[in-house]
Amino acid sequence: MMTREALRLLDLPWDLVLEILSRVPATSLGRLSFTCKRWNALFKDHEFIKKHLDKAAKQCMVLMSGNSRKVYSMNVNLDGIHDNFVDPQTLLNLKEFHSPKQFKIYNIFHCDGLLLCITWDIRLVVWNPCTGQIRWIPFCGRYKDHTEFALGYENNKSCQTYKILRSSWDFYAAQPQDVDCGIYDFESHSWKDLNDVFPKNCRRLLSKAVSLKGNIYWVANKDDEEDLLLSFDFSTEKFTCLSISFSSADGDFVPTTLSVVREERLAVLYSSYSHPTKIEIWMTTHDKIDQARLVSWSKFLSLELDENNPQIDLSTDITFFIDEEKKAAVLCDVEYFNQRDTDMVYIVGEDNRFMKIPVGANSSGPVIYNYVPSLVQIQQGGVMTRERKRKNRH
């Protein structure tokens, strides 16, 4: 049924309707797709989707997954960190994020509103929660001890061509070329190996990958001496090493993990390996990192844990997101708490503000993801959609 607002829009000139709809949040447009056939077709049009990505307000959501085979949307009241008498447990609200019944999610990678999911039965599927579209991805045959998948796209085409990067390596590999890479192309519906593309002097990938403007980024290590920002460009199918160094009075800071800020910039979390633990979060100073050869960083937040703040040991699997407006950050990791491994959420703010919230027993730790709903269509390639299958039956 059409709402009064939708009926009024239908009476306006089409160009004006396009301009208005391009600014409406993606989750609302999903509900409006049933208004009329013309709107339904519009929300699947590549030009409109591109315009909507540029103009619509970003609905930044945070998702969290763990060993419970469930994904949750996370809402954190960051204002409460300045209240010395508040119960930290009341600042966190977790709501189950409904995923398709066809699969149980083990791990997630986000790009442009699309979630690349690894299921508990070790399969790959791309899912757009906003539109409900899914596409199963065949596994390739080349794996080592450890394999990760990242979703991105080519930047040199008018229509974004989504691809998946596979990185496989042995944890105890002696040589840097022991990292194997491959690409899955949504249009050709096939994998191809990338030979000798991984930087020779890059010894290890130290962090989980993140996707920003189509490219993939990691914290990596060069010659076991220097930490750097490693990027992969799907347009050129090449890796690039970028600076991640910064000026700090302490020499024992190491970059631990990356996060994407409002789909515009990167943030890196540094932690010290000495006690008491110190944390610093740095952010890129501009939003053109995909075009930059040199990357500049500015400090966003710092924290030193002392007798007033309980000591924590951060793992290399820690994930985080930041809120620029509230000048705060939320970290997720596993901690040995009350004689068992416990999923823990840490809230960090200015003036050494720190709170921790247990969210359940676990052995592998929770993972949080920045998620921005979008209308992006999943290219079906050689895979036949349900609609086409239905047509072929009749």
Side-chain angles (χ1 to χ4, degrees), residues 12-23 38 51:
L12 297 175
W14 183 241
D15 288 346
L16 183 55
V17 172
L18 286 177
E19 198 62 32
I20 294 172
L21 292 177
S22 68
R23 287 170 163 77
R38 192 177 189 186
K51 185 176 183 178

Side-chain angles (χ1 to χ4, degrees), residues 30-41:
R31 294 190 293 269
L32 288 175
S33 62
F34 301 103
T35 300
C36 67
K37 290 182 179 180
R38 192 177 189 186
W39 283 18
N40 187 47

Side-chain angles (χ1 to χ4, degrees), residues 174-180 194-204 221-224 228 230 239-241:
Q175 300 298 325
Q177 57 262 33
D178 284 337
V179 177
D180 287 335
L194 298 180
N195 298 316
D196 301 321
V197 296
F198 198 78
K200 300 294 183 184
N201 59 350
C202 189
R203 301 288 298 183
R204 296 286 188 273
N221 180 264
K222 176 182 177 183
D223 294 330
D224 286 334
L228 51 84
L230 182 67
F239 287 89
T240 302
C241 296

